Amino acid sequence: MARANDEIEALLQEYADLIAITGGDAFRARSYEKAARAIGGHPTDVSTLDAKGLREIPNVGKSIADKITEYLTSGQISVVEERRQSIPAGVRELMAIPMLGPKKALVLYEELGISSVDQLLDAIHEERLRDLKGFGEKTEENLLHGIALMQKAGSRILLNAAMDSAEQIVAELSRIKGCEGCTYAGSLRRMRETIGDIDILVAADDSAPFMAALEALPYTAEVIAHGRKKTSIRTTKGLQVDLRVLPPDSWGAGLQYFTGSTAHNIRTREIAVRLGLKLSEYGLFDAESGERITSATEEEIYERLGLPWIPPTLREDRGEIAAGLRGELPDLVTEDDIRGDLHTHTDLTDGLAPLEEMIAQAAARGYSYYAVTDHAPDLAMQRMTKEKMLAQRERVRALDRKHRGMRLLHGTELNIGPEGEVDWPGDFLADFDICVASVHSHFNQSRHALTGRLVRACENPYVSVIGHPTTRKIGKRPGIDADFDAVFEACARTGTALEINAHPERLDLGDEDILRAKRHGVKFAVNSDAHSTTHLPYMRYGVATAQRGWLTKDDIINTWTLTKLKRFLRPGN
């Protein structure tokens, strides 16, 4: 399921937090954070590396390499276990709340005896936090936001984690003799940003081998239910997987039935009833005679209902049925339409891979062009200077066309400051091919201030794209409170694109905001915001989010030719 890299990244990040809680050396905590990020973004599965190979990973020295080896051998890291024991369990529970740091969690425990989310909620409502140093009314509001985020997320997981699990299960079951079809369905096929459980469908005459295989998978922790038509398991990561085996001649009907949202399926069944038909997971039937009319493919099901095939990403009952009946469904953007990635990072700032590796992997994806956009200096931790940026530009220019003819753009990700200012003056920004501008701090400004800040960035003549516009991190941080309709209007007016950030923790803009922005006439850029070569494939999730927002390739600037793109990025040049 998850790569060993992901598990070790989480453990080392937890260890860094535990060091911080217990008043350990800040530099040591930071070194573990850096190692965690490097391992998470490393392209090779660390379980295949020896000690020497582990030490070749950036920020991984002998001590950390030894801890990784210990985990791969025993399934745990002893110093992490020991540090866990030194922290009250209640504090560790509080640490899971977005927007509550480890040190404040410890203060709440030591000063007020708070060791659970319910106790924290009671304390907030009783206004007992306000007497603590570093806490106040705004802190209480932030914590309520964080608790709401955590409770909303519940047992749901990010799209990419669910996809990794589903694709591995599909691959395993597809190898079984008698399999005539196997895929995932449900909210995962609709590419929702978080997934509650995974629906797997198999077309086969005999269900028994598939049910047995699912139960026997090495990552199956519990069999929740076993049956001839459906079996449910819980994985070692706590994810529920529901497997349904359908007769091969019911494949299309089953796929349609188990993919659409409840509301979408109600709409299709209502159409069937009006036509004197009955629709189920086994087919489309004549309501009076019970004769099956069609069931083999989704296309046949929709056609018989008077509809074109509706892409899974649209099946949410947001007007797709009416648009289909009118013949007005959009020709959705696909990943094949993407000509390049316009927001990526290297190890010059907070990326994990050198420039040459990022460019080579981008070229391997078949891109026509590719932008390198490392952070500008206002994010002080990146230690960027004009000299470093100009030196990188020379390297980028030297590598232009060297990888499969791919054209390179030299850009930067600017920080949108509290007043809407950006890092560098116009005379320096004028020489970049592309400037992405993003909010990275001061998230709690007033709605008026945040709106003005973003609008001012849109009005900067050198800013071409607003990066991860709401700043949200799914399940961890809510989006900023700005008047986004005013921001969308400003983008349309100034010719500034809005990013659809493809990182699964962001997917920002989300689909609902995309739909609103499109009505204002905004253009979009789907970018990976890659900080390692393993992040470049996240593009698929950004494209899926764009589809959920009903976007076509004409709406997205990085589906355009380079000539057209350059006119958009630098109008008048």
Side-chain angles (χ1 to χ4, degrees), residues 233-248:
I233 62 138
R234 184 167 286 110
T235 71
T236 51
K237 298 298 180 184
L239 181 63
Q240 182 170 325
V241 179
D242 298 327
L243 169 63
R244 293 174 175 85
V245 178
L246 301 164

Side-chain angles (χ1 to χ4, degrees), residues 78-373:
S78 56
V79 293
V80 177
E81 296 297 323
E82 290 166 9
R83 189 74 68 149
R84 282 173 175 168
Q85 297 306 313
S86 69
I87 305 297
V91 176
R92 295 202 299 274
E93 180 182 348
L94 295 177
M95 283 170 55
I97 300 172
M99 308 176 76
L100 178 63
K103 290 185 178 179
K104 283 192 172 181
L106 188 61
V107 169
L108 291 173
Y109 178 81
E110 292 179 338
E111 298 292 329
L112 299 178
I114 294 172
S115 60
S116 72
V117 174
D118 288 340
Q119 289 175 356
L120 178 57
L121 283 170
D122 289 341
I124 291 172
H125 294 314
E126 293 165 7
E127 300 183 355
R128 288 192 284 128
L129 270 58
R130 299 182 186 185
D131 296 330
L132 299 177
K133 184 178 180 181
F135 290 77
E137 186 175 353
K138 193 66 178 178
T139 308
E140 291 175 344
E141 292 177 10
N142 291 340
L143 290 177
L144 288 173
H145 271 301
I147 292 169
L149 278 175
M150 184 174 70
Q151 291 174 337
K152 182 180 178 181
S155 59
R156 299 182 73 83
I157 65 171
L158 295 179
L159 176 59
N160 65 313
M163 185 64 75
D164 289 346
S165 297
E167 290 183 335
Q168 188 167 350
I169 293 170
V170 167
E172 295 279 357
L173 298 183
S174 296
R175 288 195 283 264
I176 296 174
K177 184 178 180 181
C179 179
E180 296 190 26
C182 183
T183 192
Y184 51 84
S187 57
L188 181 58
R189 190 169 178 232
R190 301 200 308 277
M191 300 293 275
R192 291 196 61 180
E193 61 196 32
T194 61
I195 308 298
D197 51 49
I198 294 175
D199 294 299
I200 302 290
L201 300 185
V202 165
D205 291 316
D206 183 6
S207 65
F210 301 93
M211 303 306 188
L214 181 69
E215 294 175 14
L217 291 174
Y219 35 80
T220 295
E222 175 189 5
V223 178
I224 301 171
H226 174 88
R228 186 173 62 85
K229 296 180 180 179
K230 177 184 174 182
T231 289
S232 298
I233 62 138
R234 184 167 286 110
T235 71
T236 51
K237 298 298 180 184
L239 181 63
Q240 182 170 325
V241 179
D242 298 327
L243 169 63
R244 293 174 175 85
V245 178
L246 301 164
D249 60 2
S250 294
W251 178 249
L255 193 55
Q256 191 278 330
Y257 183 88
F258 288 113
T259 293
S261 69
T262 299
H264 175 89
N265 287 350
I266 288 172
R267 297 280 188 187
T268 55
R269 288 199 295 272
E270 287 173 345
I271 293 174
V273 169
R274 289 199 296 271
L275 295 173
L277 305 170
K278 179 181 178 182
L279 180 60
S280 75
E281 65 265 44
Y282 295 106
L284 190 61
F285 301 86
D286 184 280
E288 288 190 8
S289 68
E291 177 186 359
R292 184 160 63 185
I293 296 171
T294 186
S295 63
T297 69
E298 285 189 315
E299 287 81 359
E300 291 174 4
I301 297 290
Y302 280 110
E303 183 180 8
R304 185 62 181 80
L305 296 176
L307 290 163
W309 179 78
I310 297 177
T313 44
L314 295 188
R315 299 182 199 176
E316 297 286 1
D317 190 33
R318 293 194 292 204
E320 72 277 6
I321 298 291
L325 291 171
R326 296 193 304 268
E328 296 177 0
L329 281 175
D331 184 10
L332 296 179
V333 63
T334 69
E335 196 171 359
D336 288 342
D337 293 324
I338 300 295
R339 293 174 182 256
D341 198 334
L342 301 180
H343 180 182
T344 68
H345 298 273
T346 75
D347 61 358
L348 182 62
T349 53
D350 61 345
L352 299 171
L355 176 69
E356 289 79 4
E357 288 184 16
M358 294 297 291
I359 290 172
Q361 286 300 311
R365 293 180 60 76
Y367 288 148
S368 300
Y369 46 80
Y370 177 74
V372 178
T373 55

Side-chain angles (χ1 to χ4, degrees), residues 413-426:
E413 183 181 12
L414 302 166
N415 185 53
I416 302 174
E419 302 299 323
E421 73 279 10
V422 296
D423 307 65
W424 278 311

Side-chain angles (χ1 to χ4, degrees), residues 11 32 42 86 103 255 263 269 370 386 399 453 456 463 466 476-477 519 533:
L11 265 180
Y32 277 96
H42 195 62
S86 69
K103 290 185 178 179
L255 193 55
R269 288 199 295 272
Y370 177 74
K386 286 185 177 181
L399 291 167
R453 182 178 173 186
R456 183 179 172 193
V463 171
I466 301 295
K476 295 181 179 179
R477 184 173 71 207
R519 289 194 285 269
T533 56

